[in-house]
Coordinates of all heavy atoms in Angstrom, one line a residue:
I1 N 2.8 10.4 -23.7 CA 2.5 9.2 -23.0 C 2.0 9.6 -21.6 O 2.6 10.4 -20.9 CB 3.7 8.3 -22.8 CG1 4.3 7.8 -24.1 CG2 3.4 7.1 -21.9 CD1 5.6 7.1 -24.1
K2 N 0.8 9.2 -21.3 CA 0.2 9.7 -20.0 C 0.3 8.6 -19.0 O 0.2 7.4 -19.2 CB -1.3 10.0 -20.2 CG -1.5 11.1 -21.2 CD -2.8 11.9 -20.9 CE -2.8 13.1 -21.8 NZ -3.9 13.9 -21.5
T3 N 0.5 9.1 -17.8 CA 0.7 8.2 -16.6 C -0.7 7.9 -16.0 O -1.5 8.8 -15.9 CB 1.5 8.9 -15.5 OG1 2.8 9.1 -16.1 CG2 1.7 8.0 -14.3
H4 N -1.0 6.7 -15.6 CA -2.2 6.3 -15.0 C -2.1 6.8 -13.5 O -1.3 6.3 -12.8 CB -2.4 4.8 -15.0 CG -3.8 4.4 -14.6 ND1 -4.1 4.3 -13.3 CD2 -4.9 4.0 -15.3 CE1 -5.4 3.9 -13.2 NE2 -5.9 3.7 -14.4
K5 N -3.0 7.8 -13.2 CA -2.8 8.5 -11.9 C -3.1 7.5 -10.7 O -2.6 7.7 -9.6 CB -3.7 9.7 -11.8 CG -3.3 10.8 -12.7 CD -1.8 11.2 -12.4 CE -1.4 12.3 -13.3 NZ 0.0 12.8 -13.0
G6 N -4.1 6.6 -10.9 CA -4.4 5.6 -9.8 C -3.2 4.7 -9.5 O -2.9 4.4 -8.4
A7 N -2.5 4.3 -10.6 CA -1.4 3.4 -10.4 C -0.2 4.2 -9.9 O 0.6 3.6 -9.1 CB -1.0 2.8 -11.8
S8 N 0.0 5.5 -10.2 CA 1.1 6.2 -9.7 C 1.0 6.5 -8.2 O 2.0 6.7 -7.6 CB 1.3 7.5 -10.5 OG 0.2 8.4 -10.2
S9 N -0.2 6.5 -7.7 CA -0.4 6.7 -6.3 C -0.2 5.4 -5.5 O 0.1 5.5 -4.3 CB -1.7 7.4 -6.0 OG -2.8 6.5 -6.3
R10 N -0.4 4.3 -6.1 CA -0.4 3.0 -5.4 C 1.0 2.3 -5.5 O 1.3 1.5 -4.7 CB -1.4 2.1 -6.0 CG -2.8 2.4 -5.6 CD -3.8 1.5 -6.3 NE -5.2 1.8 -5.8 CZ -6.0 2.6 -6.3 NH1 -5.6 3.4 -7.4 NH2 -7.2 2.8 -5.8
F11 N 1.8 2.6 -6.6 CA 3.0 2.0 -6.8 C 4.2 3.0 -6.8 O 3.9 4.1 -7.3 CB 3.0 1.2 -8.1 CG 2.0 0.2 -8.2 CD1 0.8 0.4 -8.9 CD2 2.2 -1.1 -7.5 CE1 -0.2 -0.6 -8.9 CE2 1.2 -2.0 -7.6 CZ 0.0 -1.8 -8.3
H12 N 5.3 2.7 -6.3 CA 6.5 3.6 -6.3 C 7.7 2.8 -6.8 O 7.8 1.6 -6.6 CB 6.8 4.1 -4.9 CG 5.6 4.9 -4.4 ND1 5.3 6.2 -4.8 CD2 4.7 4.6 -3.4 CE1 4.3 6.6 -4.1 NE2 3.9 5.7 -3.3
I13 N 8.5 3.5 -7.6 CA 9.7 2.9 -8.2 C 10.9 3.3 -7.4 O 11.1 4.5 -7.2 CB 9.8 3.2 -9.7 CG1 8.6 2.7 -10.5 CG2 11.1 2.6 -10.3 CD1 8.6 3.0 -11.9
T14 N 11.7 2.4 -7.0 CA 12.9 2.7 -6.2 C 14.0 3.1 -7.1 O 13.9 3.1 -8.3 CB 13.4 1.5 -5.4 OG1 13.7 0.4 -6.3 CG2 12.3 1.0 -4.4
G15 N 15.1 3.5 -6.5 CA 16.2 4.0 -7.3 C 16.9 2.9 -8.1 O 17.4 3.1 -9.2
S16 N 16.8 1.6 -7.6 CA 17.3 0.5 -8.3 C 16.4 0.0 -9.4 O 16.7 -1.0 -10.1 CB 17.7 -0.6 -7.4 OG 16.6 -1.1 -6.7
G17 N 15.1 0.5 -9.5 CA 14.2 0.1 -10.5 C 13.1 -0.9 -10.0 O 12.3 -1.3 -10.9
K18 N 13.1 -1.3 -8.8 CA 12.1 -2.2 -8.3 C 10.8 -1.4 -8.1 O 10.8 -0.2 -7.7 CB 12.5 -2.8 -6.9 CG 13.5 -3.8 -7.0 CD 13.6 -4.6 -5.7 CE 14.4 -3.8 -4.7 NZ 14.7 -4.5 -3.5
I19 N 9.6 -2.1 -8.4 CA 8.3 -1.5 -8.2 C 7.8 -2.0 -6.8 O 7.7 -3.2 -6.6 CB 7.3 -1.8 -9.3 CG1 7.9 -1.4 -10.6 CG2 6.0 -1.2 -9.0 CD1 7.0 -1.7 -11.8
M20 N 7.5 -1.0 -5.9 CA 7.0 -1.3 -4.6 C 5.5 -1.1 -4.5 O 5.0 -0.2 -5.1 CB 7.8 -0.5 -3.5 CG 9.3 -0.6 -3.6 SD 9.9 -2.3 -3.2 CE 9.8 -2.3 -1.5
R21 N 4.9 -1.9 -3.7 CA 3.4 -1.7 -3.5 C 3.1 -1.8 -2.0 O 3.9 -2.3 -1.2 CB 2.7 -2.8 -4.2 CG 2.8 -4.2 -3.6 CD 1.9 -5.2 -4.2 NE 2.0 -6.5 -3.7 CZ 1.4 -7.0 -2.6 NH1 0.5 -6.2 -2.0 NH2 1.6 -8.2 -2.1
M22 N 1.9 -1.3 -1.7 CA 1.4 -1.4 -0.3 C 0.6 -2.6 -0.2 O 0.1 -3.2 -1.1 CB 0.5 -0.2 0.0 CG 1.3 1.1 0.0 SD 2.6 1.2 1.3 CE 1.6 1.5 2.7
K23 N 0.4 -3.1 1.1 CA -0.4 -4.3 1.3 C -1.9 -3.8 1.4 O -2.2 -2.7 1.8 CB 0.0 -4.9 2.6 CG 1.4 -5.6 2.6 CD 1.6 -6.3 3.8 CE 2.9 -7.1 3.7 NZ 3.2 -7.9 4.9
G24 N -2.8 -4.8 1.1 CA -4.2 -4.5 1.3 C -4.7 -4.7 2.7 O -3.9 -5.2 3.5
G25 N -5.9 -4.2 3.0 CA -6.4 -4.4 4.3 C -5.9 -3.4 5.3 O -6.0 -3.6 6.5
K26 N -5.5 -2.2 4.9 CA -5.0 -1.2 5.8 C -6.0 -0.4 6.5 O -5.8 0.0 7.6 CB -4.1 -0.2 5.0 CG -2.6 -0.5 5.0 CD -1.8 0.5 4.4 CE -1.7 1.7 5.4 NZ -0.5 2.5 5.2
S27 N -7.1 -0.1 5.8 CA -8.0 0.9 6.4 C -9.3 0.4 7.0 O -9.8 0.9 8.0 CB -8.4 1.9 5.3 OG -9.0 1.2 4.2
H28 N -9.8 -0.7 6.4 CA -11.2 -1.1 6.9 C -11.1 -2.2 7.9 O -10.3 -3.2 7.7 CB -11.9 -1.6 5.6 CG -13.4 -1.9 5.9 ND1 -14.2 -0.9 6.4 CD2 -14.1 -3.0 5.8 CE1 -15.4 -1.5 6.5 NE2 -15.4 -2.7 6.2
L29 N -11.8 -2.1 9.0 CA -11.8 -3.1 10.1 C -10.5 -3.3 10.7 O -10.1 -4.5 11.1 CB -12.4 -4.5 9.6 CG -13.9 -4.5 9.2 CD1 -14.2 -5.8 8.6 CD2 -14.8 -4.1 10.3
R30 N -9.7 -2.3 10.8 CA -8.4 -2.4 11.4 C -8.4 -2.4 12.9 O -7.4 -2.7 13.6 CB -7.6 -1.2 10.9 CG -6.1 -1.4 11.0 CD -5.3 -0.4 10.3 NE -3.9 -0.6 10.5 CZ -2.9 0.2 10.1 NH1 -3.2 1.2 9.3 NH2 -1.7 -0.1 10.3
R31 N -9.5 -1.9 13.5 CA -9.6 -1.7 14.9 C -9.4 -3.0 15.7 O -8.8 -3.1 16.8 CB -11.0 -1.1 15.2 CG -11.3 -0.8 16.6 CD -12.6 -0.1 16.7 NE -13.6 -0.8 16.0 CZ -14.8 -0.3 15.7 NH1 -15.1 0.9 16.0 NH2 -15.7 -1.0 15.0
N32 N -10.0 -4.1 15.2 CA -9.9 -5.4 15.9 C -8.8 -6.3 15.5 O -8.8 -7.5 15.8 CB -11.3 -6.1 15.8 CG -11.7 -6.3 14.4 OD1 -11.0 -6.0 13.5 ND2 -12.9 -6.8 14.2
K33 N -7.8 -5.7 14.9 CA -6.6 -6.5 14.6 C -5.5 -6.3 15.6 O -5.5 -5.2 16.3 CB -6.0 -6.2 13.2 CG -7.0 -6.6 12.0 CD -6.3 -6.3 10.7 CE -7.1 -6.9 9.6 NZ -8.4 -6.3 9.4
S34 N -4.6 -7.2 15.7 CA -3.5 -7.0 16.7 C -2.5 -5.9 16.3 O -2.5 -5.6 15.1 CB -2.7 -8.3 16.9 OG -2.0 -8.6 15.8
Y35 N -1.8 -5.3 17.2 CA -0.9 -4.3 16.9 C 0.2 -4.7 16.0 O 0.6 -4.0 15.1 CB -0.2 -3.8 18.2 CG 0.8 -2.7 18.0 CD1 0.4 -1.4 17.7 CD2 2.1 -2.9 18.0 CE1 1.3 -0.4 17.5 CE2 3.1 -1.9 17.8 CZ 2.6 -0.7 17.5 OH 3.5 0.3 17.3
R36 N 0.7 -6.0 16.1 CA 1.7 -6.5 15.3 C 1.3 -6.6 13.8 O 2.0 -6.2 12.9 CB 2.2 -7.8 15.8 CG 3.4 -8.4 15.0 CD 3.8 -9.7 15.5 NE 4.9 -10.2 14.7 CZ 4.8 -10.9 13.6 NH1 3.6 -11.1 13.1 NH2 5.9 -11.3 12.9
S37 N 0.1 -7.1 13.7 CA -0.4 -7.3 12.3 C -0.7 -5.9 11.6 O -0.6 -5.7 10.4 CB -1.7 -8.1 12.3 OG -2.8 -7.5 12.9
K38 N -1.1 -4.9 12.5 CA -1.3 -3.6 11.9 C 0.0 -2.9 11.5 O 0.0 -2.2 10.5 CB -2.0 -2.7 13.0 CG -3.5 -3.0 13.1 CD -4.2 -2.0 14.0 CE -4.1 -2.3 15.4 NZ -5.0 -1.5 16.2
T39 N 1.0 -3.1 12.2 CA 2.3 -2.5 11.8 C 2.8 -3.2 10.5 O 3.6 -2.6 9.7 CB 3.4 -2.6 12.9 OG1 3.5 -4.0 13.3 CG2 3.0 -1.8 14.0

């Protein structure tokens, strides 16, 4: 059974079994967003 490498870099499984994901909009046009929204 092969792992999808794109999915393995985007999603992480916690010890309790939850799948965690990152939010979108991290990299592009980040300069003109407020500090709070960037964090």
Side-chain angles (χ1 to χ4, degrees):
I1 299 173
K2 297 210 173 186
T3 301
H4 190 279
K5 292 301 183 180
S8 68
S9 66
R10 287 176 173 89
F11 301 101
H12 299 285
I13 298 181
T14 62
S16 61
K18 285 192 284 190
I19 301 176
M20 302 297 279
R21 70 171 179 89
M22 294 297 283
K23 291 186 176 182
K26 264 188 79 152
S27 60
H28 187 60
L29 294 175
R30 198 171 175 180
R31 182 175 49 192
N32 53 6
K33 292 184 171 66
S34 69
Y35 178 75
R36 182 179 182 277
S37 67
K38 284 190 274 193
T39 55

